[in-house]
Amino acid sequence: MNRKTLALSAVIGLLAPVLAGCGGSDGGSGGEAIVVGTTDQYIATDEAIAPLDPAAAYDTGSWNVLRQTIQTLMHVPRGGGKPIPDAASKCAFTDRANESYRCTLREGLKFAGGDPITADDVKYSFERVLKINDPSGVAGLLTNIDTMESDGAREIVFHLKTPDATFPYKLSTPPAGIVSKKDYEPTKLRKGFDVSGSGPYTFKAEVKGDTVTKATFTKNADYTGELNVQNNKVELQPFTDADEMGKALDSGDIDVMTRAMTPEQVESMVEKPKEGIQLTEMPGLEIRYLGFDTDAPTVKEKAVRQAMAYTIDRGDLVTKVYGSVAEPLYSLIPSSIATHTNSFFNKYGDRNLTKAADLLQTAGIATPVKLSLNYTTDHYGEATAKEFETLKDQLNSSKLFEVSIKGTEWKSFRPNQIKGDYSVYGMGWFPDFPDPDSYIAPFLDKDNFLNTPYNNAKLRGELIPQSRREADRSAATNTFSQIQDIVADDVPVLPLWQGKQYVASRDDIAGVEWAVNSSAELLLWELRRGPGAS
């Protein structure tokens, strides 16, 4: 799915480029548009008919389209920090309990094309997401809203069910985007790849069959907001694999190469810099984990999930598959965010087969436990297949498990996972917003992203609400520690690793160090062609 108050001082200021061969070059895409490559795929299917509707989209690739086009009341500024107004001119809590939040819209705010935006449009947009309540779980970001009232054309007040100091961050996410009643029906998703709003760009997709082959972002002359748009046009070019994307960068067919570069590509660019190309390393907040359908017979017993936690060797996994671009993770909350604790390491260490065997024997579970591990072949990068081969080898070599693996394309994998077709599955996560809550609620709270049957009453009824009451997020450290310990004991998810992120670009492109933030959000408006790029 970025301050002292929001617990990310560890990553602020780390956006420093690591240059790999910054020589002169006549390469690049030429022309007006800056061309950005990605391995994200945009596909419409019978089960996902509206991949770019803010009421349904809940993956990094789709959000990276919406952030350019659908404007939100708030925006996380360059380099992180507290959210600041974008479509709004000002927003603030109006009570000490953090239960009532008022925003005033900017004067002259309008949709691309010229129609004015009012507080009623904002209210309509939020109500639409909540009414549709898509199975993706994206509406969960807004379900704490109790009522909304518009006061004149420019004032809107949100009354929350429970205190939530993270609400300003939720107002910066795509489901909180402002859409037009003319283009978006109140209870139906907008099918296909049409997107319209009041963001910094307008959007046009070139489509072949059910798949986007190119997306063009053109500077929106009607945009009124905080962002300073540095270019007139950006083209987003999807690639089916990172090698093809890399060749396109080398040839100058694209200017920027974003997610997902392979570990081998990164290491090659570090060890053998290419003339005319720069590699930029940025702090990353991506995590990878195994999720469980805790109602599935094979993993319903907590002892099975705990035994897997004893058996998997994260260090070995990272070394064999990802090398220096990742590091082991022992909690849902990554180590780069304050409030992180090594709860899984404290409880399980790394690969203790004796304890795993004893645990299964005590629980009366016959071994080897037969499991199928499911992963997506085309969403998180090419290394995912090797990662699951390594996990299979680790589990099977213990003689405690008999594991098979199965890869599925994302267009089918994600709907299958939501429906509960997989007992064990691999997923990745970028935070919805830069706060520890965004690593907890989407997995454990009601209406969560995973649609998991796991329901811990203490987490949902006490600890998660308690963590949101603290405006000073560091004051919630003890609460988050308790949450992480419960997760380590129950193992509804099993954290594996956290990653760094890299962007490669032609050396005539500037602004690259700001164009992808620590949450892997594309900020295309930061890119420009010209002097000062290298």
Side-chain angles (χ1 to χ4, degrees), residues 5-216:
T5 56
L6 281 167
L8 276 179
S9 56
V11 299
I12 298 306
L14 294 181
L15 292 173
V18 176
L19 300 182
C22 192
S25 171
D26 294 326
S29 62
E32 181 185 35
I34 294 172
V35 184
V36 177
T38 180
T39 57
D40 286 322
Q41 300 295 305
Y42 304 94
I43 302 172
T45 67
D46 291 340
E47 293 178 307
I49 60 173
L52 298 180
D53 190 313
Y58 206 0
D59 65 89
T60 302
S62 297
W63 275 25
N64 279 335
V65 170
L66 296 175
R67 289 187 186 280
Q68 323 304 317
T69 50
I70 306 290
Q71 193 175 15
T72 50
L73 293 170
M74 302 293 284
H75 164 70
V76 177
R78 173 197 276 189
K82 293 182 179 181
I84 58 178
D86 186 21
S89 61
K90 60 181 180 180
C91 289
F93 283 107
T94 59
D95 64 333
R96 292 185 178 181
N98 295 334
E99 288 183 307
S100 183
Y101 198 75
R102 177 183 289 269
C103 289
T104 303
L105 299 184
R106 290 180 184 267
E107 292 187 14
L109 197 67
K110 51 189 173 183
F111 292 110
D115 290 342
I117 296 175
T118 69
D120 283 339
D121 293 307
V122 178
K123 185 171 181 284
Y124 171 84
S125 301
F126 280 70
E127 288 175 339
R128 178 177 180 272
V129 173
L130 292 169
K131 287 176 182 176
I132 291 174
N133 193 22
D134 191 79
S136 69
V138 73
L141 286 163
L142 306 180
T143 52
N144 195 34
I145 297 173
D146 187 17
T147 60
M148 293 173 281
E149 54 182 302
S150 53
D151 183 4
R154 295 176 53 214
E155 301 282 336
I156 184 163
V157 182
F158 301 92
H159 299 289
L160 307 182
K161 298 173 184 175
T162 59
D164 187 2
T166 70
F167 189 67
Y169 286 87
K170 293 171 182 175
L171 293 184
S172 72
T173 63
I178 307 167
V179 299
S180 169
K181 298 175 185 178
K182 295 196 314 185
D183 296 330
Y184 293 84
E185 295 185 54
T187 58
K188 293 182 180 180
L189 294 173
R190 188 175 186 179
K191 296 180 181 179
F193 303 104
D194 290 328
V195 182
S196 56
S198 58
Y201 295 98
T202 59
F203 175 80
K204 182 178 180 181
E206 295 182 17
V207 179
K208 184 176 181 180
D210 59 0
T211 303
V212 172
T213 57
K214 184 173 75 173
T216 301

